[in-house]
Structure formats: C-alpha cells, structure tokens
C-alpha cells in the first residue's frame, strides 16, 4: 500500500535500524595507499567515529542506521549502467525493511547514478539520499561529515519520497542535478529546478510542495529492467562542435549496435544549417533509433524549430528533451530502451515527465 506523508513508517519496519547506508566507494572513503588515494574499507566504523565528533545534541537527533559496503569499492569513474542496476535492485530488495536509504558514492558520476535510480525506482515512497564528498572523511577540513550528517537527516524524513542528492547543505532532486564544480565543496547544482530542501542553521528543512511525494501518489511501481545492452554501448552522447560533419555523425549513428543517441545542440536547439546532418538523423530515426536532443547550455530549455537551422529536427524524428540535464536525458533513453516497449511508446514516454525530470 502507498505510504502517505503521515503514515507511521516505523510500524512497517522489520530491521532495528531505520536507515540503510550503502557504501559504494568514492573520495569520501578514500585512504592513502602506496600508489595514491583508493577507496578504503571499514566504512561503518569510520563513519561512526566521524559522526561522534558532532555536538551532542546533533548526535542525539541522528536516526539509527546500518552500513553495508559493496565487496568491490569503486571510484565512481568505474560505475556503469550495471552499477545503477545493482543499486536499484539492492534498494528494492531491502525497501520495506528500512525507512530510508543513504547511498555513499563518488562525486564524479554521482548525478548519473541518481538520475538512473529515479527512473528505476518510480513511485518510491521513502527517501533515497545520495551523497559523497570532495575531500576524504579523515582529511583536514573535509566536507564528508557535514554531508553524511545531512544525508542521514533527510533520509529520516518520510515526507521525502524520491531520489535526492544531499551535498553542501543542499537537497537536490536527483534527476535534476549536475556536478558543476571539480573542486569546490558546493559541487552540485540543479540548474532548472529549485532545491528540495536545505540546511538552515542546525535545521534540515524540506520543501514538500517541490517534492514528488505530493506530485505523484501511488504505490511503488519500480521498473528494474536489464541494463546489459545499454552497458554494451547501445546509446551514444554527441555534443555538437563547430564544423561537425555528416560523416562523423553517421559514424556513430549507422552502427547497428547503437539504438539511441542524445544530441547536445547549441542554445535553444540550434545546429549547423547543413541538410546532410538532418539526413543522417532522419535515416537513423527511420531505422527505429531513439534520438533526443537537449542543449549544451546547463540552464534553459531547447525549443526545436526556434531557429531555421534547427527546424528540420522534429521532422527528422528527434525528440525534444526540453530542460533535462544530460544525465537525466541519457539515463532516460537507457531506461526506455531496456524495456520491451514499442518505439512509439518509448517516444511518447520520453516526452512525458516520469519522475519530475522535465
Ligand atoms: N574520483 C572520485 C569518484 O568519483 C571523486 C569523488 O568521489 O568525489 O569516485
């Protein structure tokens, strides 16, 4: 049965701890090894030690939690669609035993994992909060403790019912986020959607009117398809550059292993005024490949046809990704192609907002 924001989640629980923390690796848990930083083990104890440094009142308000670590800890540059699939299945398997989930992940591809989980865990009725840090847990001035603290606090709020990212005092919709900075603590942004919540002083404030909890009601209807084909390169991502030639585009799109492509156009949906580019796109669409377009600009939306040069895109079968992030658009193509759907249904679902991604 679907949880309402006020339902007593605790009564549903079978585990003693309220939150399940899944540690996948990333800088947050890295330790110095002979050949440089690499993911370190014993995260449960290290996390407990870090949290014991919080002021007593903050420690007392932490939810109880249990940590599980993946056997193979990774730098998130090694994450693949199969990693996304594994995480979704693990959350699905443990769903009713915990009131919320915290995923500890490297920051480099964290927003990709977040976007993919959002599609796989549709109708989620409790929080899944992903976090990491820019500096390792035990480093001087690390952001890890603050991020863990906030992630646990938001994961304990039953009113949050979606996949979110907590980072640098901000709670972002997972499928709306991008990594925007390679060094600063404030590394994530949600360019086209407001914050779902934030830390204000010592309080963790959630804005329910912005959350999926109020926007989508119903029981979890997880879709956990097999991502193996996507993992073998079924989708390509092609940002335009000045001087792009039709043969280059064709080299990607005519490959029979490619069934989908995400184009990143200029501005509001512009591309060079070269009919042979549109021919390549039309041919690929005609072969049943799923083509979508977003902008290279992180903010704003594409409007296919706003410029003469981009006018032929819709005719060539290219779907407008509106203001979706690259992560949201790519993982959505991946998710739709992984299911046994007719092409028309895939196209229609791509244009529909499934989890507040557009
Ligand atoms: N290279 C790291 C990773 O993505 C960066 C980080 O964790 O912040 O795993």
């Amino acid at each position: 049965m679907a949880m309402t924001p006020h339902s007593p989640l605790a009564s549903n629980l079978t585990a003693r701890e309220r939150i399940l923390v899944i540690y996948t690796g990333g800088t947050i848990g890295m330790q110095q090894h002979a050949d440089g930083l690499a993911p370190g083990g014993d995260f449960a104890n290290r996390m407990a030690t870090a949290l014991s440094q919080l002021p007593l009142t903050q420690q007392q308000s932490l939810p109880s939690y249990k940590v599980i670590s993946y056997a193979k800890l990774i730098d998130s540059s090694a994450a693949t669609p199969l990693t996304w699939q594994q995480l979704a299945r693990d959350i699905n398997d443990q769903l009713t035993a915990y009131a919320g989930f915290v995923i500890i992940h490297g920051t480099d591809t964290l927003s990709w994992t977040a976007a993919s989980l959002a599609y796989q865990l549709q109708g989620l009725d409790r929080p899944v909060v992903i976090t990491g840090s820019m500096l390792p847990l035990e480093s001087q001035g690390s952001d890890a403790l603050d991020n863990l603290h906030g992630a646990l606090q938001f994961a304990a709020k039953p009113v949050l019912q979606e996949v979110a990212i907590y980072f640098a005092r901000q709670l972002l919709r997972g499928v709306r986020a991008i990594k925007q900075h390679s060094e600063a603590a404030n590394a994530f942004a949600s360019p086209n959607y407001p914050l779902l919540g934030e830390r204000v002083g010592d309080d963790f404030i959630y804005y329910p009117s912005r959350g999926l909890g109020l926007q989508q009601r119903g029981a979890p209807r997880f879709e956990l398809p097999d991502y193996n084909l996507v993992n073998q390169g079924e989708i390509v991502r092609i940002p335009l550059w000045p001087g792009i030639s039709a043969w280059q585009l064709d080299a990607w799109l005519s490959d029979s292993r490619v069934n989908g492509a995400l184009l990143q156009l200029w501005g509001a949906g512009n591309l060079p005024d070269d009919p042979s580019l549109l021919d390549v796109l039309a041919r690929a669409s005609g072969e049943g490949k799923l083509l979508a377009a977003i902008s290279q600009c992180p903010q704003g939306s594409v409007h296919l046809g706003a410029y003469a040069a981009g006018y032929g895109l819709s005719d060539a079968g290219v779907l407008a990704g509106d203001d979706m992030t690259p992560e949201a658009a790519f993982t959505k193509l991946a998710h739709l192609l992984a299911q046994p759907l007719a092409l028309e249904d895939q196209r229609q679902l791509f244009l529909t907002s499934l989890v507040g991604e557009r």
Side-chain angles (χ1 to χ4, degrees):
M1 203 185 88
M3 301 285 168
T4 71
H6 306 294
S7 68
L9 267 176
S11 62
N12 256 10
L13 302 183
T14 54
R16 247 187 45 228
E17 296 86 1
R18 293 182 59 211
I19 309 296
L20 183 64
V21 177
I22 304 178
Y23 171 51
T24 68
T27 294
I28 188 166
M30 289 201 182
Q31 292 173 312
Q32 200 63 45
H33 295 258
D35 44 359
L37 282 174
D42 196 23
F43 194 76
N45 279 325
R46 292 165 60 206
M47 179 169 164
T49 305
L51 290 169
S52 71
Q53 293 156 22
L54 289 172
L56 206 57
T57 49
Q58 292 181 14
Q59 286 184 50
Q60 284 164 348
S61 72
L62 285 172
S64 61
Y65 66 91
K66 172 181 167 180
V67 179
I68 59 168
S69 291
Y70 277 173
K72 188 169 178 330
L73 298 170
I74 57 168
D75 182 297
S76 77
S77 56
T80 68
L82 295 184
T83 314
W84 311 335
Q85 177 178 318
Q86 182 69 52
L87 267 170
R89 289 184 182 187
D90 289 343
I91 293 167
N92 176 62
D93 290 348
Q94 302 288 334
L95 189 75
T96 53
Y98 294 93
F101 294 80
V102 170
I103 313 294
I104 313 283
H105 198 288
T107 58
D108 285 339
T109 67
L110 189 152
S111 49
W112 291 78
T113 297
S116 174
L117 288 179
Y119 297 120
Q120 294 182 82
L121 306 179
Q122 287 178 49
L124 186 65
D125 60 0
R126 61 200 73 197
V128 170
V129 183
I130 313 184
T131 196
S133 66
M134 299 305 279
L135 293 174
L137 191 55
E138 289 92 0
S139 292
Q140 190 74 36
S142 173
D143 51 336
L145 175 57
D146 278 356
N147 289 348
L148 289 172
H149 179 202
L152 280 171
Q153 288 290 356
F154 277 112
K157 290 187 188 298
V159 69
L160 173 62
Q161 301 185 355
E162 61 183 288
V163 178
I165 295 173
Y166 181 79
F167 217 91
R169 306 174 77 91
Q170 299 186 330
L171 188 75
L172 318 172
R173 172 164 293 166
V175 75
R176 287 287 196 159
I178 56 168
K179 185 173 179 184
Q180 58 149 6
H181 205 293
S182 63
E183 291 158 356
N186 187 8
F188 288 88
S190 174
N192 292 317
Y193 196 76
L195 297 179
L196 295 182
E198 59 193 318
R199 177 173 178 168
V200 180
D202 281 346
D203 295 326
F204 293 87
I205 314 288
Y206 173 64
Y207 304 121
S209 62
R210 300 174 184 174
L212 275 187
L214 287 184
Q215 292 166 16
Q216 58 152 34
R217 301 268 9 111
R221 44 183 185 283
F222 293 0
E223 293 172 354
L224 304 171
D226 186 352
Y227 279 10
N228 258 298
L229 278 181
V230 173
N231 200 52
Q232 289 162 30
E234 198 182 21
I235 306 171
V236 293
R237 172 186 181 189
I238 310 173
L240 301 183
W241 62 92
I244 184 173
S245 302
W247 72 264
Q248 293 173 306
L249 197 56
D250 191 54
W252 286 109
L253 296 184
S254 62
D255 191 303
S256 61
R257 291 168 295 186
V258 170
N259 286 321
L262 175 64
L263 305 169
Q264 285 188 256
L265 309 172
W266 289 307
N270 208 357
L271 83 168
D273 188 9
D274 173 357
S276 58
L277 287 174
L278 292 176
D279 286 349
V280 171
L281 294 171
R283 196 174 327 124
S285 293
E287 287 168 0
K289 302 189 182 197
L290 204 55
L291 307 183
I294 58 169
S295 177
Q296 296 188 19
C297 302
Q299 293 187 45
S301 185
V302 288
H303 304 280
L304 301 188
Y307 293 95
Y311 198 71
L313 283 166
S314 303
D315 285 348
V318 177
L319 302 165
D322 290 358
D323 61 356
M324 279 196 272
T325 63
E327 290 88 327
F330 188 99
T331 59
K332 189 171 188 179
L333 289 176
H335 188 69
L336 295 175
L337 283 171
Q339 296 174 73
L341 295 166
L343 181 62
E344 247 339 285
D345 294 335
Q346 289 172 336
R347 292 175 58 85
Q348 208 249 310
L349 285 168
F350 186 86
L351 296 171
T352 308
S353 175
L354 301 178
V355 284
E357 74 278 13
R358 59 184 296 163

